[in-house]
Amino acid sequence: TLYEADKAVCAMSRRARFVENSRFNRQTIMNYEYKDLYDGKVSIRLQEINDTQVKVAIKVGKSGDVESSQEILMAIDEELHAMSGN
């Protein structure tokens, strides 16, 4: 659910020591803006597709660092699995 994904993003950001600049929550969409340890911009967007699916979009830096984005996505996935006990 969007709620679980939000909890996973927040847990990942604490673990990565990101500084939260803003968080915007609309019923089915959540946007986060962070700064990483190197003052780089990290944007995360969650969009609820249905009751069991959430689309995650991640952008690191101005042009988008694919490798860093994938690492963040894996960290969010790990948090989701930790919460579900799997």
Side-chain angles (χ1 to χ4, degrees):
T1 66
L2 187 61
Y3 174 73
E4 291 165 336
D6 172 54
K7 285 176 56 175
V9 168
C10 292
M12 176 282 307
S13 68
R14 283 190 301 274
R15 192 171 60 164
R17 297 183 182 174
F18 288 168
V19 175
E20 185 176 305
N21 290 336
S22 68
R23 183 187 318 190
F24 175 76
N25 181 0
R26 215 169 10 165
Q27 290 178 325
T28 60
I29 296 172
M30 296 196 74
N31 290 313
Y32 310 82
E33 295 289 332
Y34 295 104
K35 289 250 182 199
D36 64 15
L37 292 174
Y38 307 103
D39 256 357
K41 182 178 174 183
V42 178
S43 301
I44 301 174
R45 177 183 173 101
L46 303 178
Q47 182 175 359
E48 188 173 59
I49 304 300
N50 57 42
D51 290 343
T52 60
Q53 291 182 323
V54 175
K55 180 180 177 180
V56 180
I58 301 167
K59 183 177 178 186
V60 178
K62 290 184 180 181
S63 60
D65 179 338
V66 174
E67 187 175 321
S68 295
S69 297
Q70 288 174 337
E71 289 175 10
I72 291 170
L73 183 60
M74 287 188 309
I76 293 170
D77 189 54
E78 287 172 11
E79 293 294 341
L80 284 168
H81 280 81
M83 288 187 317
S84 69
N86 293 334

Coordinates of all heavy atoms in Angstrom, one line a residue:
T1 N 0.8 -1.2 0.0 CA 0.0 0.0 0.0 C 0.9 1.2 0.0 O 2.1 1.2 0.3 CB -0.9 0.0 1.2 OG1 -0.1 0.2 2.4 CG2 -1.8 -1.2 1.3
L2 N 0.3 2.4 -0.3 CA 1.0 3.6 -0.3 C 1.5 3.9 1.1 O 2.7 4.4 1.3 CB 0.1 4.8 -0.7 CG 0.7 6.1 -0.9 CD1 1.8 6.1 -2.0 CD2 -0.4 7.2 -1.3
Y3 N 0.8 3.6 2.2 CA 1.2 3.8 3.5 C 2.5 3.0 3.8 O 3.4 3.5 4.4 CB 0.1 3.4 4.5 CG 0.5 3.4 5.9 CD1 0.6 4.6 6.6 CD2 0.7 2.2 6.6 CE1 1.0 4.7 8.0 CE2 1.0 2.3 8.0 CZ 1.2 3.5 8.6 OH 1.6 3.5 9.9
E4 N 2.5 1.7 3.4 CA 3.7 0.9 3.7 C 4.9 1.4 2.9 O 6.0 1.4 3.4 CB 3.4 -0.6 3.3 CG 2.4 -1.2 4.2 CD 1.9 -2.5 3.7 OE1 1.8 -2.7 2.4 OE2 1.4 -3.3 4.5
A5 N 4.7 1.8 1.6 CA 5.8 2.4 0.8 C 6.3 3.7 1.4 O 7.5 3.9 1.4 CB 5.3 2.6 -0.6
D6 N 5.4 4.5 2.0 CA 5.8 5.7 2.7 C 6.7 5.4 3.9 O 7.8 6.0 4.0 CB 4.6 6.5 3.1 CG 5.0 7.7 4.0 OD1 5.8 8.5 3.6 OD2 4.4 7.8 5.1
K7 N 6.3 4.4 4.6 CA 7.1 4.0 5.8 C 8.5 3.5 5.4 O 9.5 3.8 6.0 CB 6.4 2.9 6.6 CG 5.3 3.5 7.5 CD 4.5 2.4 8.2 CE 5.3 1.6 9.1 NZ 4.6 0.6 9.9
A8 N 8.5 2.8 4.3 CA 9.8 2.2 3.7 C 10.7 3.3 3.2 O 11.9 3.3 3.5 CB 9.5 1.2 2.6
V9 N 10.1 4.3 2.5 CA 10.9 5.4 2.1 C 11.5 6.2 3.2 O 12.7 6.6 3.2 CB 10.1 6.4 1.1 CG1 10.8 7.7 0.9 CG2 9.8 5.7 -0.2
C10 N 10.7 6.5 4.2 CA 11.2 7.2 5.4 C 12.3 6.4 6.2 O 13.3 7.0 6.6 CB 10.0 7.5 6.4 SG 8.9 8.7 5.7
A11 N 12.1 5.1 6.3 CA 13.2 4.3 7.0 C 14.4 4.3 6.2 O 15.5 4.4 6.7 CB 12.6 2.9 7.2
M12 N 14.3 4.2 4.8 CA 15.5 4.2 4.0 C 16.2 5.5 4.0 O 17.4 5.6 4.1 CB 15.1 3.9 2.5 CG 16.2 4.0 1.5 SD 16.7 5.6 0.9 CE 15.2 6.4 0.4
S13 N 15.5 6.6 4.1 CA 16.1 7.9 4.1 C 16.8 8.2 5.4 O 17.9 8.8 5.4 CB 15.1 9.0 3.9 OG 14.2 9.1 4.9
R14 N 16.3 7.7 6.5 CA 17.0 7.8 7.8 C 18.3 7.0 7.8 O 19.3 7.4 8.2 CB 16.1 7.3 9.0 CG 15.0 8.3 9.4 CD 14.4 7.8 10.7 NE 13.7 6.5 10.6 CZ 12.5 6.3 10.1 NH1 11.8 7.3 9.7 NH2 12.0 5.1 10.1
R15 N 18.2 5.7 7.2 CA 19.4 4.9 7.2 C 20.4 5.5 6.3 O 21.6 5.4 6.5 CB 18.9 3.5 6.6 CG 20.0 2.4 6.8 CD 19.4 1.1 6.4 NE 19.0 1.0 5.1 CZ 18.7 -0.1 4.4 NH1 18.9 -1.2 5.0 NH2 18.3 0.0 3.2
A16 N 20.0 6.1 5.2 CA 21.0 6.8 4.2 C 21.4 8.1 4.7 O 22.3 8.8 4.1 CB 20.4 6.9 2.9
R17 N 20.8 8.6 5.8 CA 21.1 9.9 6.4 C 20.8 11.1 5.4 O 21.6 12.0 5.3 CB 22.6 10.0 6.8 CG 22.9 9.0 8.0 CD 24.2 9.2 8.5 NE 24.4 8.2 9.5 CZ 25.6 7.9 10.1 NH1 26.6 8.6 9.8 NH2 25.7 7.0 11.0
F18 N 19.7 10.9 4.7 CA 19.2 12.0 3.8 C 18.6 13.0 4.7 O 18.0 12.7 5.7 CB 18.2 11.4 2.8 CG 18.7 10.6 1.7 CD1 17.8 9.9 0.9 CD2 20.1 10.5 1.5 CE1 18.3 9.1 -0.1 CE2 20.5 9.7 0.4 CZ 19.6 9.0 -0.4
V19 N 18.7 14.3 4.2 CA 18.0 15.4 4.9 C 16.7 15.7 4.1 O 16.8 16.0 2.9 CB 18.9 16.6 4.9 CG1 18.2 17.8 5.5 CG2 20.2 16.3 5.7
E20 N 15.6 15.6 4.7 CA 14.3 15.9 4.0 C 14.1 17.4 3.9 O 14.1 18.1 4.8 CB 13.2 15.3 4.8 CG 11.9 15.4 4.1 CD 10.7 14.7 4.9 OE1 10.9 13.5 5.2 OE2 9.7 15.4 5.2
N21 N 14.0 17.8 2.6 CA 13.7 19.2 2.3 C 12.2 19.4 2.2 O 11.7 20.5 2.7 CB 14.3 19.6 1.0 CG 15.8 19.7 1.0 OD1 16.3 19.9 2.1 ND2 16.4 19.5 -0.1
S22 N 11.4 18.5 1.7 CA 10.0 18.6 1.6 C 9.3 17.2 1.4 O 10.0 16.3 0.9 CB 9.6 19.5 0.5 OG 9.9 19.0 -0.8
R23 N 8.1 17.2 1.8 CA 7.2 16.0 1.5 C 5.8 16.5 1.2 O 5.3 17.3 1.9 CB 7.2 15.1 2.8 CG 6.4 13.8 2.5 CD 6.2 13.0 3.8 NE 7.4 13.0 4.6 CZ 7.5 12.2 5.7 NH1 6.5 11.4 6.0 NH2 8.6 12.2 6.4
F24 N 5.3 16.0 0.1 CA 4.0 16.4 -0.3 C 3.1 15.2 -0.4 O 3.5 14.2 -1.1 CB 4.1 17.1 -1.7 CG 2.7 17.5 -2.3 CD1 2.0 18.6 -1.8 CD2 2.2 16.8 -3.3 CE1 0.8 18.9 -2.3 CE2 1.0 17.1 -3.9 CZ 0.3 18.1 -3.3
N25 N 2.0 15.2 0.2 CA 1.1 14.0 0.2 C -0.3 14.4 -0.3 O -0.9 15.3 0.2 CB 0.9 13.5 1.6 CG 0.1 12.3 1.8 OD1 -0.5 11.8 0.8 ND2 -0.1 11.8 3.0
R26 N -0.7 13.8 -1.4 CA -2.0 13.9 -1.9 C -2.6 12.5 -1.9 O -1.8 11.6 -2.1 CB -2.0 14.5 -3.4 CG -3.1 15.4 -3.7 CD -3.0 16.1 -4.9 NE -1.9 15.7 -5.8 CZ -1.8 16.0 -7.0 NH1 -2.7 16.8 -7.6 NH2 -0.8 15.6 -7.7
Q27 N -3.8 12.3 -1.8 CA -4.4 11.0 -1.6 C -3.7 9.8 -2.2 O -3.5 8.8 -1.5 CB -5.9 11.0 -2.1 CG -6.8 11.9 -1.3 CD -8.2 11.9 -1.9 OE1 -8.4 11.8 -3.1 NE2 -9.2 12.0 -1.0
T28 N -3.3 9.8 -3.4 CA -2.7 8.7 -4.1 C -1.3 8.9 -4.5 O -0.7 8.1 -5.2 CB -3.6 8.2 -5.3 OG1 -3.6 9.2 -6.2 CG2 -5.0 7.8 -4.8
I29 N -0.7 10.1 -4.2 CA 0.6 10.4 -4.7 C 1.4 11.0 -3.5 O 0.9 11.8 -2.7 CB 0.6 11.4 -5.8 CG1 -0.1 10.8 -7.0 CG2 2.0 11.9 -6.2 CD1 -0.3 11.8 -8.2
M30 N 2.7 10.6 -3.4 CA 3.5 11.2 -2.4 C 4.8 11.6 -3.1 O 5.4 10.8 -3.8 CB 3.8 10.3 -1.2 CG 2.6 10.0 -0.4 SD 3.0 9.2 1.1 CE 3.5 10.6 2.0
N31 N 5.3 12.8 -2.8 CA 6.6 13.3 -3.4 C 7.5 13.7 -2.2 O 7.1 14.3 -1.3 CB 6.4 14.6 -4.2 CG 5.6 14.3 -5.5 OD1 6.0 13.3 -6.2 ND2 4.7 15.1 -5.8
Y32 N 8.8 13.3 -2.3 CA 9.8 13.6 -1.3 C 10.9 14.3 -2.0 O 11.3 13.9 -3.1 CB 10.3 12.3 -0.7 CG 9.3 11.4 -0.2 CD1 8.7 10.5 -1.1 CD2 9.0 11.3 1.1 CE1 7.7 9.6 -0.6 CE2 8.0 10.4 1.6 CZ 7.4 9.6 0.7 OH 6.5 8.7 1.2
E33 N 11.5 15.3 -1.4 CA 12.7 15.9 -1.8 C 13.8 15.8 -0.7 O 13.5 16.3 0.4 CB 12.5 17.4 -2.2 CG 11.5 17.6 -3.3 CD 12.1 17.2 -4.7 OE1 13.4 17.3 -4.8 OE2 11.4 16.8 -5.6
Y34 N 14.9 15.2 -1.0 CA 16.0 15.1 0.0 C 17.3 15.7 -0.5 O 17.4 15.9 -1.7 CB 16.2 13.6 0.2 CG 15.1 12.8 0.9 CD1 14.3 12.0 0.1 CD2 14.8 12.9 2.2 CE1 13.3 11.3 0.7 CE2 13.8 12.2 2.8 CZ 13.0 11.4 2.0 OH 12.0 10.7 2.6
K35 N 18.2 15.8 0.4 CA 19.6 16.1 0.1 C 20.4 14.9 0.6 O 20.2 14.5 1.7 CB 20.1 17.4 0.7 CG 19.5 18.6 0.1 CD 20.6 19.4 -0.6 CE 19.9 20.6 -1.2 NZ 20.6 21.2 -2.2
D36 N 21.3 14.4 -0.2 CA 22.2 13.3 0.3 C 23.4 13.9 1.0 O 23.5 15.1 1.3 CB 22.6 12.4 -0.8 CG 23.5 13.1 -1.9 OD1 24.0 14.1 -1.6 OD2 23.6 12.5 -3.0
L37 N 24.3 13.0 1.4 CA 25.4 13.4 2.2 C 26.4 14.4 1.5 O 27.1 15.1 2.1 CB 26.3 12.2 2.7 CG 25.6 11.3 3.7 CD1 26.4 10.0 3.9 CD2 25.3 12.0 5.0
Y38 N 26.3 14.4 0.1 CA 27.1 15.2 -0.7 C 26.4 16.5 -1.2 O 26.8 17.1 -2.1 CB 27.7 14.4 -1.8 CG 28.4 13.2 -1.4 CD1 27.8 11.9 -1.5 CD2 29.7 13.2 -0.8 CE1 28.4 10.8 -1.0 CE2 30.3 12.1 -0.3 CZ 29.7 10.9 -0.5 OH 30.3 9.7 0.0
D39 N 25.2 16.8 -0.6 CA 24.4 17.9 -1.0 C 23.7 17.7 -2.3 O 23.3 18.7 -2.9 CB 25.1 19.2 -0.9 CG 24.8 20.1 0.3 OD1 23.9 19.6 1.1 OD2 25.4 21.1 0.4
G40 N 23.7 16.5 -2.8 CA 23.0 16.2 -4.1 C 21.5 16.1 -3.8 O 21.0 15.7 -2.7
K41 N 20.7 16.4 -4.8 CA 19.3 16.3 -4.8 C 18.8 14.9 -5.1 O 19.2 14.3 -6.0 CB 18.7 17.3 -5.7 CG 17.2 17.4 -5.7 CD 16.6 18.4 -6.7 CE 15.1 18.4 -6.8 NZ 14.6 19.4 -7.8
V42 N 17.8 14.4 -4.2 CA 17.2 13.1 -4.4 C 15.7 13.3 -4.4 O 15.2 13.9 -3.4 CB 17.6 12.1 -3.3 CG1 16.9 10.8 -3.5 CG2 19.1 11.9 -3.3
S43 N 15.0 13.0 -5.5 CA 13.6 13.1 -5.6 C 13.0 11.7 -5.6 O 13.4 10.9 -6.4 CB 13.2 13.9 -6.8 OG 13.7 15.2 -6.8
I44 N 11.9 11.5 -4.8 CA 11.2 10.2 -4.9 C 9.7 10.5 -5.0 O 9.2 11.3 -4.3 CB 11.5 9.4 -3.6 CG1 13.0 9.1 -3.5 CG2 10.7 8.0 -3.6 CD1 13.4 8.4 -2.2
R45 N 9.1 9.7 -5.9 CA 7.6 9.9 -6.1 C 7.0 8.5 -5.9 O 7.4 7.6 -6.6 CB 7.4 10.5 -7.4 CG 5.9 10.7 -7.8 CD 5.7 11.2 -9.2 NE 4.4 11.2 -9.6 CZ 3.6 12.3 -9.6 NH1 4.1 13.5 -9.2 NH2 2.4 12.2 -10.0
L46 N 6.0 8.5 -5.1 CA 5.2 7.2 -5.0 C 3.8 7.5 -5.5 O 3.2 8.6 -5.2 CB 5.0 6.8 -3.5 CG 6.3 6.6 -2.7 CD1 5.9 6.3 -1.3 CD2 7.1 5.5 -3.3
Q47 N 3.3 6.6 -6.4 CA 1.9 6.8 -6.9 C 1.2 5.5 -6.7 O 1.7 4.4 -7.2 CB 2.0 7.2 -8.4 CG 0.6 7.4 -9.0 CD 0.7 7.9 -10.4 OE1 1.7 8.1 -11.0 NE2 -0.5 8.1 -11.0
E48 N 0.1 5.5 -6.0 CA -0.7 4.3 -5.8 C -1.4 3.9 -7.1 O -2.1 4.7 -7.7 CB -1.7 4.6 -4.7 CG -2.4 3.3 -4.3 CD -3.3 3.6 -3.0 OE1 -4.2 4.5 -3.1 OE2 -3.1 3.0 -2.0
I49 N -1.2 2.7 -7.6 CA -1.8 2.2 -8.8 C -3.1 1.6 -8.5 O -4.1 1.8 -9.1 CB -0.9 1.2 -9.5 CG1 0.5 1.9 -9.8 CG2 -1.5 0.7 -10.8 CD1 0.4 3.1 -10.7
N50 N -3.1 0.7 -7.4 CA -4.3 0.1 -6.9 C -4.0 -0.3 -5.4 O -3.0 0.2 -4.9 CB -4.8 -1.1 -7.7 CG -3.7 -2.2 -7.9 OD1 -3.0 -2.5 -6.9 ND2 -3.5 -2.7 -9.1
D51 N -4.9 -1.1 -4.8 CA -4.7 -1.4 -3.4 C -3.4 -2.2 -3.1 O -2.9 -2.1 -1.9 CB -5.9 -2.2 -2.9 CG -7.2 -1.4 -2.8 OD1 -7.1 -0.2 -2.8 OD2 -8.2 -2.0 -2.7
T52 N -2.8 -2.8 -4.0 CA -1.6 -3.6 -3.8 C -0.4 -3.2 -4.5 O 0.7 -3.8 -4.4 CB -1.9 -5.1 -4.1 OG1 -2.2 -5.2 -5.5 CG2 -3.0 -5.7 -3.2
Q53 N -0.5 -2.2 -5.4 CA 0.6 -1.7 -6.2 C 0.9 -0.2 -6.1 O 0.0 0.6 -6.1 CB 0.4 -2.0 -7.7 CG 0.4 -3.5 -8.0 CD 0.2 -3.7 -9.5 OE1 -0.5 -3.0 -10.2 NE2 0.9 -4.7 -10.1
V54 N 2.2 0.1 -5.9 CA 2.6 1.5 -5.9 C 3.8 1.6 -6.9 O 4.7 0.9 -6.9 CB 3.1 1.8 -4.4 CG1 3.7 3.2 -4.4 CG2 2.0 1.7 -3.4
K55 N 3.7 2.6 -7.7 CA 4.8 3.0 -8.6 C 5.8 3.9 -7.9 O 5.4 4.8 -7.3 CB 4.2 3.7 -9.9 CG 5.2 4.0 -10.9 CD 4.5 4.8 -12.1 CE 5.5 5.2 -13.1 NZ 4.9 5.9 -14.2
V56 N 7.1 3.5 -8.1 CA 8.1 4.3 -7.4 C 9.0 4.9 -8.5 O 9.5 4.2 -9.4 CB 9.0 3.4 -6.5 CG1 10.1 4.2 -5.9 CG2 8.2 2.7 -5.5
A57 N 9.2 6.2 -8.5 CA 10.1 6.9 -9.4 C 11.1 7.7 -8.6 O 10.8 8.3 -7.6 CB 9.3 7.9 -10.2
I58 N 12.4 7.5 -9.0 CA 13.5 8.1 -8.2 C 14.4 8.8 -9.2 O 14.7 8.3 -10.3 CB 14.3 6.9 -7.5 CG1 13.4 6.2 -6.6 CG2 15.5 7.5 -6.8 CD1 14.0 4.9 -6.1
K59 N 14.8 10.0 -8.8 CA 15.8 10.8 -9.6 C 16.9 11.3 -8.6 O 16.6 11.9 -7.6 CB 15.1 12.0 -10.3 CG 16.0 12.7 -11.1 CD 15.3 13.8 -11.9 CE 16.2 14.7 -12.7 NZ 15.6 15.8 -13.3
V60 N 18.1 11.0 -9.0 CA 19.2 11.5 -8.2 C 20.0 12.5 -9.0 O 20.4 12.1 -10.1 CB 20.1 10.3 -7.8 CG1 21.3 10.8 -7.0 CG2 19.3 9.3 -7.0
G61 N 20.3 13.6 -8.5 CA 21.0 14.7 -9.2 C 20.1 15.4 -10.2 O 18.9 15.1 -10.3
K62 N 20.7 16.2 -11.0 CA 20.0 17.0 -12.0 C 19.6 16.2 -13.2 O 18.5 16.3 -13.7 CB 20.8 18.2 -12.5 CG 20.9 19.3 -11.4 CD 21.7 20.5 -12.0 CE 21.8 21.5 -10.9 NZ 22.5 22.7 -11.3
S63 N 20.4 15.3 -13.7 CA 20.2 14.6 -14.9 C 19.7 13.1 -14.6 O 19.3 12.4 -15.5 CB 21.4 14.6 -15.8 OG 22.5 14.0 -15.1
G64 N 19.8 12.7 -13.3 CA 19.4 11.3 -13.0 C 20.6 10.4 -13.0 O 21.1 10.1 -14.1
D65 N 20.9 9.8 -11.9 CA 22.0 8.9 -11.8 C 21.3 7.5 -11.6 O 20.8 7.2 -10.6 CB 22.9 9.2 -10.6 CG 24.0 8.2 -10.3 OD1 23.9 7.1 -10.8 OD2 25.0 8.6 -9.6
V66 N 21.4 6.7 -12.7 CA 20.6 5.4 -12.7 C 21.2 4.5 -11.7 O 20.4 3.8 -10.9 CB 20.7 4.8 -14.1 CG1 20.1 3.4 -14.1 CG2 20.1 5.7 -15.2
E67 N 22.5 4.4 -11.5 CA 23.0 3.4 -10.5 C 22.6 3.8 -9.1 O 22.2 2.9 -8.3 CB 24.6 3.4 -10.6 CG 25.2 2.4 -9.7 CD 26.7 2.3 -9.9 OE1 27.2 2.5 -11.1 OE2 27.4 2.2 -8.9
S68 N 22.7 5.1 -8.7 CA 22.2 5.5 -7.4 C 20.7 5.3 -7.2 O 20.3 4.9 -6.1 CB 22.6 7.0 -7.2 OG 24.0 7.1 -7.2
S69 N 20.0 5.6 -8.3 CA 18.5 5.4 -8.2 C 18.2 3.9 -7.9 O 17.3 3.6 -7.1 CB 17.8 5.8 -9.5 OG 18.0 7.2 -9.6
Q70 N 18.9 3.0 -8.6 CA 18.7 1.6 -8.4 C 19.1 1.1 -7.0 O 18.4 0.3 -6.4 CB 19.5 0.8 -9.4 CG 18.9 0.9 -10.8 CD 19.7 0.2 -11.9 OE1 20.9 0.0 -11.7 NE2 19.1 -0.1 -13.0
E71 N 20.1 1.7 -6.4 CA 20.5 1.4 -5.0 C 19.4 1.9 -4.1 O 19.1 1.2 -3.1 CB 21.8 2.1 -4.7 CG 23.0 1.4 -5.4 CD 24.3 2.2 -5.2 OE1 24.4 3.1 -4.3 OE2 25.3 1.8 -5.8
I72 N 18.9 3.0 -4.3 CA 17.8 3.5 -3.4 C 16.6 2.7 -3.5 O 16.0 2.3 -2.5 CB 17.5 5.0 -3.8 CG1 18.7 5.9 -3.4 CG2 16.2 5.5 -3.1 CD1 18.6 7.3 -3.9
L73 N 16.2 2.3 -4.7 CA 15.1 1.4 -4.9 C 15.3 0.0 -4.2 O 14.4 -0.5 -3.6 CB 14.8 1.1 -6.4 CG 13.6 0.3 -6.8 CD1 12.3 0.9 -6.3 CD2 13.6 0.1 -8.3
M74 N 16.5 -0.5 -4.3 CA 16.8 -1.8 -3.6 C 16.7 -1.6 -2.1 O 16.1 -2.4 -1.4 CB 18.2 -2.3 -4.0 CG 18.2 -2.9 -5.4 SD 19.7 -3.8 -5.8 CE 21.0 -2.6 -5.4
A75 N 17.1 -0.4 -1.6 CA 17.0 -0.1 -0.1 C 15.6 0.0 0.3 O 15.2 -0.5 1.4 CB 17.8 1.1 0.2
I76 N 14.7 0.6 -0.5 CA 13.3 0.7 -0.2 C 12.7 -0.7 -0.2 O 11.9 -1.0 0.7 CB 12.6 1.6 -1.2 CG1 13.1 3.1 -1.1 CG2 11.1 1.5 -1.1 CD1 12.6 4.0 -2.2
D77 N 13.0 -1.5 -1.2 CA 12.6 -2.9 -1.2 C 13.0 -3.7 0.0 O 12.2 -4.4 0.6 CB 13.1 -3.6 -2.5 CG 12.4 -4.9 -2.7 OD1 11.2 -5.0 -2.7 OD2 13.2 -5.9 -2.9
E78 N 14.2 -3.5 0.5 CA 14.6 -4.2 1.7 C 13.8 -3.7 2.9 O 13.5 -4.6 3.7 CB 16.1 -3.8 1.9 CG 17.1 -4.5 1.0 CD 18.5 -4.0 1.2 OE1 18.8 -3.3 2.2 OE2 19.4 -4.3 0.3
E79 N 13.5 -2.5 3.0 CA 12.7 -2.0 4.1 C 11.3 -2.6 4.0 O 10.7 -2.9 5.1 CB 12.6 -0.4 4.1 CG 13.9 0.3 4.4 CD 14.4 0.0 5.8 OE1 13.6 -0.4 6.7 OE2 15.6 0.2 6.0
L80 N 10.7 -2.7 2.8 CA 9.4 -3.3 2.7 C 9.4 -4.7 3.1 O 8.5 -5.2 3.8 CB 8.9 -3.2 1.2 CG 8.4 -1.8 0.8 CD1 8.2 -1.8 -0.7 CD2 7.1 -1.5 1.5
H81 N 10.4 -5.5 2.7 CA 10.5 -6.9 3.1 C 10.7 -7.0 4.6 O 10.2 -7.9 5.3 CB 11.7 -7.6 2.4 CG 11.3 -8.0 1.0 ND1 11.3 -7.1 -0.1 CD2 10.9 -9.2 0.5 CE1 10.9 -7.7 -1.2 NE2 10.6 -9.0 -0.9
A82 N 11.5 -6.1 5.2 CA 11.7 -6.2 6.7 C 10.4 -5.9 7.4 O 10.2 -6.5 8.4 CB 12.8 -5.1 7.1
M83 N 9.6 -5.0 6.9 CA 8.3 -4.7 7.6 C 7.4 -5.9 7.5 O 6.6 -6.1 8.4 CB 7.7 -3.5 6.9 CG 8.4 -2.2 7.3 SD 7.6 -0.7 6.7 CE 7.0 -1.0 5.1
S84 N 7.4 -6.6 6.3 CA 6.5 -7.7 6.1 C 7.0 -9.0 6.7 O 6.3 -10.0 6.8 CB 6.2 -7.9 4.6 OG 7.3 -8.4 4.0
G85 N 8.3 -9.0 7.2 CA 8.8 -10.2 7.8 C 9.3 -11.2 6.8 O 9.6 -12.4 7.2
N86 N 9.4 -10.9 5.5 CA 9.9 -11.8 4.5 C 11.4 -11.7 4.2 O 11.9 -10.7 4.0 CB 9.1 -11.6 3.2 CG 7.7 -12.0 3.3 OD1 7.3 -12.8 4.2 ND2 6.8 -11.4 2.5

